Amino acid sequence: MAGRAGRAVKAGNQASAGDLLELVRSGRATTRGALQQATGLSRATVGQRLDRLFRAGWLREGAGGPVDSPLGGRPSITLEFDDAHAVVLAADLDTRHGRAAVLTLTGEILAEHAGVLVIDEGPEAVLGELGRWFAELLEKAGRPVDAVCGIGLAVPGPVDSDTGRVVQPPIMPGWDGYDIRGRLGRAFAERSGARADIPVLVDNDANLMAYGEQRIGYPNCSAFALVKVSTGIGAGMVVGGAIYRGIDGGAGDIGHIRVGADALCRCGSYGCLAAVASGGAVARRLAESGVPAASGSDVRDLLTAGHPGAMALAREAGRQVGDVLATVVTLLNPGVLMIAGDLAGTPFLTGVRELLYQRALPRSTAHLDVVTSQLGERAGLVGAGALVVEYLYAPERAEERLAALGV
Protein backbone atom coordinates (compact mmCIF):
# COMPACT_ATOMS: atom_id res chain seq x y z
CA MET A 1 0.00 0.00 0.00
CA ALA A 2 1.11 3.52 -0.67
CA GLY A 3 1.32 6.25 1.89
CA ARG A 4 3.66 4.71 4.43
CA ALA A 5 6.00 7.14 6.10
CA GLY A 6 9.56 6.58 4.94
CA ARG A 7 11.72 5.10 7.69
CA ALA A 8 15.39 5.94 7.93
CA VAL A 9 17.50 3.24 6.29
CA LYS A 10 20.74 2.13 7.86
CA ALA A 11 23.82 2.77 5.75
CA GLY A 12 26.62 0.41 4.81
CA ASN A 13 26.80 -3.08 6.25
CA GLN A 14 24.26 -2.12 8.90
CA ALA A 15 21.44 -2.25 6.32
CA SER A 16 19.66 -5.55 6.88
CA ALA A 17 17.43 -7.70 4.69
CA GLY A 18 14.54 -6.09 6.54
CA ASP A 19 15.80 -2.64 5.52
CA LEU A 20 15.95 -3.74 1.87
CA LEU A 21 12.42 -5.07 2.13
CA GLU A 22 11.26 -1.73 3.51
CA LEU A 23 12.84 0.10 0.58
CA VAL A 24 11.11 -2.16 -1.91
CA ARG A 25 7.72 -2.04 -0.16
CA SER A 26 7.78 1.75 0.08
CA GLY A 27 8.78 2.10 -3.58
CA ARG A 28 11.93 4.03 -2.71
CA ALA A 29 14.21 1.43 -4.31
CA THR A 30 12.89 -1.38 -6.49
CA THR A 31 15.97 -2.65 -8.35
CA ARG A 32 19.24 -4.13 -7.17
CA GLY A 33 21.10 -1.07 -8.39
CA ALA A 34 18.78 1.29 -6.59
CA LEU A 35 19.18 -0.72 -3.39
CA GLN A 36 22.97 -0.45 -3.66
CA GLN A 37 22.71 3.31 -4.08
CA ALA A 38 20.28 3.72 -1.18
CA THR A 39 22.25 1.61 1.29
CA GLY A 40 25.86 1.73 0.15
CA LEU A 41 25.99 -2.07 0.23
CA SER A 42 28.06 -3.96 -2.33
CA ARG A 43 26.38 -5.83 -5.18
CA ALA A 44 27.24 -9.17 -3.56
CA THR A 45 25.86 -8.17 -0.15
CA VAL A 46 22.63 -6.89 -1.68
CA GLY A 47 22.33 -10.19 -3.53
CA GLN A 48 22.85 -12.21 -0.34
CA ARG A 49 20.24 -10.26 1.59
CA LEU A 50 17.73 -10.36 -1.22
CA ASP A 51 18.23 -14.12 -1.43
CA ARG A 52 16.93 -14.44 2.14
CA LEU A 53 13.79 -12.51 1.17
CA PHE A 54 13.27 -14.64 -1.93
CA ARG A 55 13.65 -17.86 0.08
CA ALA A 56 11.09 -16.60 2.59
CA GLY A 57 8.70 -15.92 -0.28
CA TRP A 58 8.45 -12.23 0.58
CA LEU A 59 9.86 -10.82 -2.65
CA ARG A 60 9.39 -11.65 -6.32
CA GLU A 61 10.85 -10.35 -9.55
CA GLY A 62 8.60 -8.19 -11.67
CA ALA A 63 8.88 -6.78 -15.16
CA GLY A 64 12.01 -5.08 -16.42
CA GLY A 65 12.39 -1.51 -15.28
CA PRO A 66 14.26 1.42 -16.81
CA VAL A 67 17.91 0.94 -17.75
CA ASP A 68 20.13 1.95 -14.82
CA SER A 69 23.08 3.10 -16.94
CA PRO A 70 23.05 6.06 -19.36
CA LEU A 71 25.18 3.88 -21.66
CA GLY A 72 22.28 1.53 -22.23
CA GLY A 73 22.21 -2.21 -21.71
CA ARG A 74 19.62 -4.62 -20.45
CA PRO A 75 16.69 -3.20 -18.45
CA SER A 76 16.86 -3.71 -14.69
CA ILE A 77 14.63 -6.37 -13.17
CA THR A 78 12.24 -4.76 -10.72
CA LEU A 79 11.59 -6.20 -7.29
CA GLU A 80 8.12 -6.47 -5.79
CA PHE A 81 6.68 -7.37 -2.42
CA ASP A 82 4.93 -10.72 -2.90
CA ASP A 83 1.56 -10.34 -1.20
CA ALA A 84 0.51 -13.92 -2.01
CA HIS A 85 2.68 -15.65 0.60
CA ALA A 86 0.39 -14.86 3.56
CA VAL A 87 -2.93 -13.33 4.54
CA VAL A 88 -4.19 -11.17 7.39
CA LEU A 89 -7.38 -11.53 9.40
CA ALA A 90 -9.11 -8.30 10.41
CA ALA A 91 -12.23 -7.33 12.32
CA ASP A 92 -14.02 -4.09 13.15
CA LEU A 93 -16.38 -3.98 16.14
CA ASP A 94 -19.15 -1.46 16.66
CA THR A 95 -21.54 -1.44 19.61
CA ARG A 96 -24.11 -3.78 18.00
CA HIS A 97 -22.45 -5.09 14.84
CA GLY A 98 -19.18 -6.56 13.70
CA ARG A 99 -17.40 -7.04 10.41
CA ALA A 100 -14.55 -9.45 9.67
CA ALA A 101 -12.45 -10.28 6.63
CA VAL A 102 -9.50 -12.12 5.16
CA LEU A 103 -7.16 -9.69 3.38
CA THR A 104 -4.07 -9.93 1.26
CA LEU A 105 -0.93 -8.22 2.52
CA THR A 106 -1.69 -5.28 0.23
CA GLY A 107 -5.24 -4.81 1.51
CA GLU A 108 -7.41 -6.67 -1.00
CA ILE A 109 -10.40 -8.30 0.70
CA LEU A 110 -10.66 -12.00 -0.18
CA ALA A 111 -13.65 -12.93 2.00
CA GLU A 112 -15.89 -10.87 4.27
CA HIS A 113 -18.70 -11.30 6.77
CA ALA A 114 -20.86 -8.85 8.73
CA GLY A 115 -23.36 -9.66 11.44
CA VAL A 116 -24.76 -8.91 14.87
CA LEU A 117 -22.17 -8.72 17.64
CA VAL A 118 -23.32 -6.88 20.76
CA ILE A 119 -20.35 -5.32 22.55
CA ASP A 120 -22.31 -5.28 25.83
CA GLU A 121 -22.23 -9.10 25.90
CA GLY A 122 -18.58 -8.83 26.92
CA PRO A 123 -15.21 -9.82 25.50
CA GLU A 124 -15.42 -13.56 26.17
CA ALA A 125 -18.52 -14.04 24.04
CA VAL A 126 -17.73 -11.46 21.36
CA LEU A 127 -14.15 -12.59 20.77
CA GLY A 128 -15.21 -16.22 20.81
CA GLU A 129 -17.68 -15.51 18.02
CA LEU A 130 -15.01 -13.63 16.07
CA GLY A 131 -12.80 -16.71 16.26
CA ARG A 132 -15.58 -18.71 14.60
CA TRP A 133 -16.07 -16.08 11.91
CA PHE A 134 -12.36 -16.06 11.11
CA ALA A 135 -12.20 -19.85 10.73
CA GLU A 136 -15.18 -19.85 8.38
CA LEU A 137 -13.85 -16.93 6.35
CA LEU A 138 -10.50 -18.65 5.83
CA GLU A 139 -12.31 -21.67 4.42
CA LYS A 140 -14.41 -19.38 2.21
CA ALA A 141 -11.27 -17.65 0.93
CA GLY A 142 -9.64 -21.00 0.21
CA ARG A 143 -6.55 -20.23 2.24
CA PRO A 144 -4.89 -22.61 4.74
CA VAL A 145 -4.61 -21.78 8.43
CA ASP A 146 -0.83 -21.55 8.28
CA ALA A 147 -1.12 -18.74 5.71
CA VAL A 148 -2.37 -16.36 8.43
CA CYS A 149 0.48 -14.14 9.62
CA GLY A 150 -1.52 -11.98 12.04
CA ILE A 151 -4.85 -10.59 13.22
CA GLY A 152 -5.91 -6.94 13.47
CA LEU A 153 -8.88 -5.74 15.51
CA ALA A 154 -10.60 -2.33 15.65
CA VAL A 155 -12.62 -1.58 18.79
CA PRO A 156 -14.81 1.43 19.77
CA GLY A 157 -12.74 2.55 22.72
CA PRO A 158 -9.31 3.93 23.72
CA VAL A 159 -6.53 1.35 23.45
CA ASP A 160 -3.10 1.12 25.03
CA SER A 161 -1.18 0.06 21.92
CA ASP A 162 1.62 -1.52 23.97
CA THR A 163 -0.71 -4.01 25.66
CA GLY A 164 -3.65 -4.13 23.25
CA ARG A 165 -6.04 -3.57 26.16
CA VAL A 166 -8.82 -1.00 26.18
CA VAL A 167 -8.57 1.65 28.88
CA GLN A 168 -11.76 2.80 30.63
CA PRO A 169 -13.92 2.51 27.48
CA PRO A 170 -17.21 4.44 27.94
CA ILE A 171 -19.26 2.22 25.60
CA MET A 172 -17.58 -1.16 26.18
CA PRO A 173 -18.75 -2.39 29.61
CA GLY A 174 -16.72 -5.33 30.90
CA TRP A 175 -13.79 -4.77 28.51
CA ASP A 176 -11.59 -2.49 30.61
CA GLY A 177 -8.12 -4.05 30.90
CA TYR A 178 -9.23 -7.34 29.35
CA ASP A 179 -6.60 -9.44 27.53
CA ILE A 180 -8.09 -9.06 24.05
CA ARG A 181 -4.97 -10.31 22.26
CA GLY A 182 -4.78 -13.53 24.22
CA ARG A 183 -8.49 -14.35 24.05
CA LEU A 184 -8.83 -13.66 20.32
CA GLY A 185 -5.73 -15.70 19.52
CA ARG A 186 -7.08 -18.64 21.53
CA ALA A 187 -10.57 -18.32 20.02
CA PHE A 188 -9.17 -18.49 16.50
CA ALA A 189 -6.88 -21.40 17.42
CA GLU A 190 -9.78 -23.34 18.97
CA ARG A 191 -11.89 -22.95 15.84
CA SER A 192 -9.21 -23.42 13.20
CA GLY A 193 -6.37 -25.46 14.68
CA ALA A 194 -3.97 -22.50 14.27
CA ARG A 195 -1.17 -21.88 16.72
CA ALA A 196 -2.35 -19.89 19.74
CA ASP A 197 0.52 -17.38 19.67
CA ILE A 198 -0.41 -15.75 16.37
CA PRO A 199 0.27 -11.97 16.56
CA VAL A 200 -2.86 -9.97 17.42
CA LEU A 201 -2.86 -6.16 17.21
CA VAL A 202 -5.66 -4.01 18.63
CA ASP A 203 -6.38 -0.32 18.10
CA ASN A 204 -9.20 2.18 18.29
CA ASP A 205 -11.70 2.00 15.43
CA ALA A 206 -11.41 5.66 14.41
CA ASN A 207 -7.60 5.34 14.36
CA LEU A 208 -7.74 2.35 12.04
CA MET A 209 -10.42 3.87 9.83
CA ALA A 210 -8.22 6.95 9.45
CA TYR A 211 -5.19 4.77 8.72
CA GLY A 212 -7.02 2.79 6.03
CA GLU A 213 -8.58 5.84 4.39
CA GLN A 214 -5.38 7.88 4.38
CA ARG A 215 -3.26 5.11 2.89
CA ILE A 216 -5.73 4.26 0.15
CA GLY A 217 -7.19 7.63 -0.79
CA TYR A 218 -4.83 10.34 0.49
CA PRO A 219 -1.29 8.89 0.64
CA ASN A 220 0.35 12.28 0.18
CA CYS A 221 -1.60 14.02 2.94
CA SER A 222 0.80 14.55 5.84
CA ALA A 223 -1.92 15.54 8.34
CA PHE A 224 -5.18 13.61 7.99
CA ALA A 225 -8.10 13.56 10.42
CA LEU A 226 -11.17 11.32 10.46
CA VAL A 227 -14.20 11.73 12.70
CA LYS A 228 -16.43 8.71 13.18
CA VAL A 229 -19.96 9.53 14.29
CA SER A 230 -21.93 6.39 15.06
CA THR A 231 -23.36 5.32 18.43
CA GLY A 232 -20.45 7.32 19.91
CA ILE A 233 -18.02 9.91 18.49
CA GLY A 234 -14.28 9.48 18.05
CA ALA A 235 -11.48 10.84 15.88
CA GLY A 236 -8.44 9.26 14.32
CA MET A 237 -5.37 11.15 13.10
CA VAL A 238 -2.59 10.13 10.75
CA VAL A 239 0.40 12.47 10.93
CA GLY A 240 3.48 11.89 8.80
CA GLY A 241 2.05 8.56 7.64
CA ALA A 242 1.69 7.17 11.18
CA ILE A 243 -1.26 6.96 13.55
CA TYR A 244 -1.10 9.62 16.24
CA ARG A 245 -2.27 8.06 19.52
CA GLY A 246 -0.99 10.39 22.24
CA ILE A 247 1.00 8.99 25.16
CA ASP A 248 -1.42 6.19 26.13
CA GLY A 249 -3.96 5.86 23.31
CA GLY A 250 -6.29 8.64 24.41
CA ALA A 251 -5.80 11.03 21.47
CA GLY A 252 -8.88 11.76 19.39
CA ASP A 253 -11.52 11.06 22.05
CA ILE A 254 -13.47 14.18 21.05
CA GLY A 255 -16.82 12.67 21.98
CA HIS A 256 -16.09 13.55 25.60
CA ILE A 257 -15.26 17.21 25.10
CA ARG A 258 -17.72 19.23 27.18
CA VAL A 259 -20.04 21.41 25.12
CA GLY A 260 -22.12 22.99 27.88
CA ALA A 261 -25.23 20.82 27.59
CA ASP A 262 -26.81 19.05 30.56
CA ALA A 263 -27.29 15.64 28.91
CA LEU A 264 -25.88 12.62 30.78
CA CYS A 265 -23.21 10.74 28.81
CA ARG A 266 -22.52 7.01 29.02
CA CYS A 267 -19.13 7.89 30.52
CA GLY A 268 -20.97 9.24 33.60
CA SER A 269 -20.32 12.92 32.95
CA TYR A 270 -22.74 15.59 31.81
CA GLY A 271 -22.46 17.72 28.71
CA CYS A 272 -20.21 15.54 26.53
CA LEU A 273 -20.42 16.03 22.77
CA ALA A 274 -21.37 12.36 22.36
CA ALA A 275 -24.32 12.84 24.71
CA VAL A 276 -25.91 15.40 22.38
CA ALA A 277 -24.57 14.80 18.86
CA SER A 278 -23.75 11.09 18.40
CA GLY A 279 -25.87 8.56 16.56
CA GLY A 280 -26.95 7.25 19.94
CA ALA A 281 -28.07 10.73 21.03
CA VAL A 282 -30.01 11.26 17.79
CA ALA A 283 -31.61 7.82 18.18
CA ARG A 284 -32.69 8.71 21.71
CA ARG A 285 -34.32 11.93 20.57
CA LEU A 286 -36.09 10.13 17.76
CA ALA A 287 -37.36 7.47 20.16
CA GLU A 288 -38.66 10.19 22.48
CA SER A 289 -40.71 11.54 19.56
CA GLY A 290 -42.17 8.11 18.83
CA VAL A 291 -39.81 7.03 16.03
CA PRO A 292 -38.34 3.52 16.63
CA ALA A 293 -34.57 3.99 16.93
CA ALA A 294 -32.08 2.53 19.40
CA SER A 295 -28.63 3.06 17.88
CA GLY A 296 -26.59 4.88 15.30
CA SER A 297 -27.26 2.14 12.75
CA ASP A 298 -31.01 2.69 13.19
CA VAL A 299 -30.49 6.40 12.51
CA ARG A 300 -28.45 5.54 9.42
CA ASP A 301 -31.36 3.45 8.08
CA LEU A 302 -33.78 6.32 8.70
CA LEU A 303 -31.47 8.78 6.96
CA THR A 304 -31.18 6.44 3.98
CA ALA A 305 -34.97 6.34 3.81
CA GLY A 306 -35.11 10.15 3.87
CA HIS A 307 -36.92 10.42 7.21
CA PRO A 308 -37.40 14.20 7.75
CA GLY A 309 -37.08 14.10 11.54
CA ALA A 310 -33.85 12.10 11.35
CA MET A 311 -32.46 14.45 8.71
CA ALA A 312 -33.21 17.55 10.78
CA LEU A 313 -31.63 16.07 13.91
CA ALA A 314 -28.59 14.88 11.94
CA ARG A 315 -28.00 18.39 10.61
CA GLU A 316 -28.29 19.81 14.12
CA ALA A 317 -25.84 17.20 15.39
CA GLY A 318 -23.48 18.11 12.56
CA ARG A 319 -23.51 21.74 13.67
CA GLN A 320 -22.62 20.72 17.23
CA VAL A 321 -19.76 18.52 16.02
CA GLY A 322 -18.62 21.22 13.57
CA ASP A 323 -18.32 23.68 16.44
CA VAL A 324 -15.87 21.34 18.19
CA LEU A 325 -14.05 20.53 14.96
CA ALA A 326 -13.24 24.20 14.48
CA THR A 327 -10.86 23.84 17.43
CA VAL A 328 -9.52 20.49 16.17
CA VAL A 329 -8.77 21.95 12.74
CA THR A 330 -7.08 25.00 14.26
CA LEU A 331 -4.87 22.77 16.42
CA LEU A 332 -3.99 20.05 13.89
CA ASN A 333 -4.18 22.03 10.61
CA PRO A 334 -5.04 18.91 8.56
CA GLY A 335 -5.23 18.78 4.78
CA VAL A 336 -8.20 16.41 4.88
CA LEU A 337 -11.02 16.17 7.40
CA MET A 338 -13.10 13.06 6.74
CA ILE A 339 -16.54 12.44 8.23
CA ALA A 340 -17.39 8.75 8.60
CA GLY A 341 -19.79 6.51 10.48
CA ASP A 342 -23.55 6.07 10.64
CA LEU A 343 -24.38 9.79 10.45
CA ALA A 344 -21.93 10.61 7.63
CA GLY A 345 -24.48 11.77 5.07
CA THR A 346 -25.45 15.07 3.48
CA PRO A 347 -27.51 16.50 6.40
CA PHE A 348 -24.78 15.89 8.99
CA LEU A 349 -21.98 17.04 6.67
CA THR A 350 -23.92 20.23 5.86
CA GLY A 351 -24.21 20.98 9.57
CA VAL A 352 -20.50 20.35 10.14
CA ARG A 353 -19.48 22.69 7.35
CA GLU A 354 -21.83 25.45 8.54
CA LEU A 355 -20.21 25.75 11.97
CA LEU A 356 -16.68 24.70 11.03
CA TYR A 357 -16.21 27.43 8.45
CA GLN A 358 -18.03 29.95 10.61
CA ARG A 359 -15.91 29.37 13.74
CA ALA A 360 -12.48 28.38 12.42
CA LEU A 361 -10.00 30.99 11.21
CA PRO A 362 -9.83 31.23 7.40
CA ARG A 363 -6.11 30.39 7.62
CA SER A 364 -6.98 26.99 9.16
CA THR A 365 -9.46 26.02 6.45
CA ALA A 366 -7.83 27.60 3.38
CA HIS A 367 -6.32 24.28 2.24
CA LEU A 368 -8.72 21.92 3.99
CA ASP A 369 -10.87 19.35 2.19
CA VAL A 370 -13.92 18.21 4.16
CA VAL A 371 -15.00 14.88 2.69
CA THR A 372 -16.87 11.69 3.46
CA SER A 373 -15.51 8.15 3.60
CA GLN A 374 -14.25 6.42 0.46
CA LEU A 375 -13.93 2.93 1.92
CA GLY A 376 -17.20 3.06 3.86
CA GLU A 377 -17.73 0.15 6.25
CA ARG A 378 -14.49 -1.47 5.10
CA ALA A 379 -12.23 1.35 6.29
CA GLY A 380 -11.59 -0.22 9.70
CA LEU A 381 -10.82 -3.61 8.14
CA VAL A 382 -8.33 -2.12 5.70
CA GLY A 383 -6.68 -0.11 8.46
CA ALA A 384 -6.50 -3.11 10.81
CA GLY A 385 -4.92 -5.22 8.08
CA ALA A 386 -2.40 -2.50 7.30
CA LEU A 387 -1.50 -2.18 10.99
CA VAL A 388 -0.60 -5.88 11.11
CA VAL A 389 1.45 -5.75 7.92
CA GLU A 390 3.39 -2.66 8.99
CA TYR A 391 4.18 -4.30 12.32
CA LEU A 392 5.25 -7.69 10.94
CA TYR A 393 7.32 -6.40 8.02
CA ALA A 394 9.02 -3.45 9.72
CA PRO A 395 12.81 -3.93 9.40
CA GLU A 396 13.65 -5.17 12.89
CA ARG A 397 10.60 -7.43 13.15
CA ALA A 398 11.26 -8.75 9.64
CA GLU A 399 14.79 -9.71 10.67
CA GLU A 400 13.46 -11.61 13.68
CA ARG A 401 10.94 -13.47 11.53
CA LEU A 402 13.51 -14.33 8.87
CA ALA A 403 15.78 -15.78 11.55
CA ALA A 404 12.85 -17.82 12.93
CA LEU A 405 12.22 -19.17 9.41
CA GLY A 406 15.86 -20.20 9.18
CA VAL A 407 16.65 -18.12 6.10
Side-chain angles (χ1 to χ4, degrees), residues 52-373:
R52 297 178 67 200
L53 298 171
F54 282 120
R55 282 186 284 146
W58 295 1
L59 281 188
R60 64 187 173 208
E61 291 186 340
V67 176
D68 282 346
S69 170
L71 301 177
R74 291 184 300 175
S76 302
I77 299 299
T78 59
L79 303 169
E80 301 173 350
F81 181 56
D82 190 343
D83 70 340
H85 71 271
V87 295
V88 174
L89 300 176
D92 185 5
L93 298 180
D94 208 331
T95 53
R96 298 171 63 86
H97 298 85
R99 185 174 293 269
V102 181
L103 299 92
T104 68
L105 299 181
T106 47
E108 178 187 354
I109 293 179
L110 303 176
E112 185 178 8
H113 174 74
V116 175
L117 270 183
V118 181
I119 207 88
D120 285 1
E121 292 182 358
E124 191 73 20
V126 170
L127 299 175
E129 183 69 356
L130 268 185
R132 182 178 70 84
W133 286 10
F134 282 150
E136 293 176 354
L137 282 169
L138 261 186
E139 187 174 345
K140 182 179 178 182
R143 299 303 298 265
V145 171
D146 59 8
V148 178
C149 63
I151 299 174
L153 177 63
V155 297
V159 177
D160 181 334
S161 60
D162 290 335
T163 64
R165 299 172 188 252
V166 292
V167 182
Q168 299 177 357
I171 59 174
M172 298 178 70
W175 290 73
D176 185 22
Y178 186 85
D179 181 15
I180 296 175
R181 290 176 177 173
R183 172 58 180 143
L184 186 52
R186 290 192 301 273
F188 175 58
E190 290 163 3
R191 293 288 187 171
S192 67
R195 70 183 198 275
D197 63 345
I198 188 166
V200 178
L201 274 70
V202 186
D203 209 328
N204 171 261
D205 55 355
N207 283 350
L208 293 181
M209 290 173 69
Y211 198 41
E213 295 276 10
Q214 187 269 342
R215 291 165 65 86
I216 295 298
Y218 301 89
N220 297 319
C221 181
S222 60
F224 178 97
L226 177 144
V227 178
K228 179 186 178 184
V229 186
S230 291
T231 298
I233 300 176
M237 295 166 286
V238 180
V239 179
I243 296 172
Y244 179 75
R245 300 181 176 89
I247 59 170
D248 62 3
D253 202 3
I254 65 170
H256 300 284
I257 292 175
R258 305 293 175 82
V259 294
D262 59 1
L264 177 63
C265 182
R266 292 185 64 172
C267 73
S269 297
Y270 286 88
C272 294
L273 180 64
V276 297
S278 65
V282 172
R284 184 177 63 252
R285 292 183 65 181
L286 286 168
E288 290 170 352
S289 68
V291 179
S295 67
S297 59
D298 293 335
V299 176
R300 178 192 60 207
D301 294 341
L302 290 166
L303 291 171
T304 301
H307 187 281
M311 293 175 71
L313 288 174
R315 182 166 180 171
E316 181 184 339
R319 288 172 58 84
Q320 292 168 311
V321 172
D323 196 9
V324 170
L325 290 180
T327 300
V328 173
V329 165
T330 301
L331 178 66
L332 184 62
N333 190 210
V336 175
L337 173 63
M338 179 174 285
I339 308 299
D342 291 329
L343 266 60
T346 300
F348 186 86
L349 189 63
T350 299
V352 167
R353 284 175 167 153
E354 286 176 4
L355 262 290
L356 173 61
Y357 288 106
Q358 177 183 327
R359 299 291 171 83
L361 290 172
R363 173 68 182 82
S364 300
T365 57
H367 303 288
L368 175 68
D369 290 330
V370 182
V371 300
T372 53
S373 171

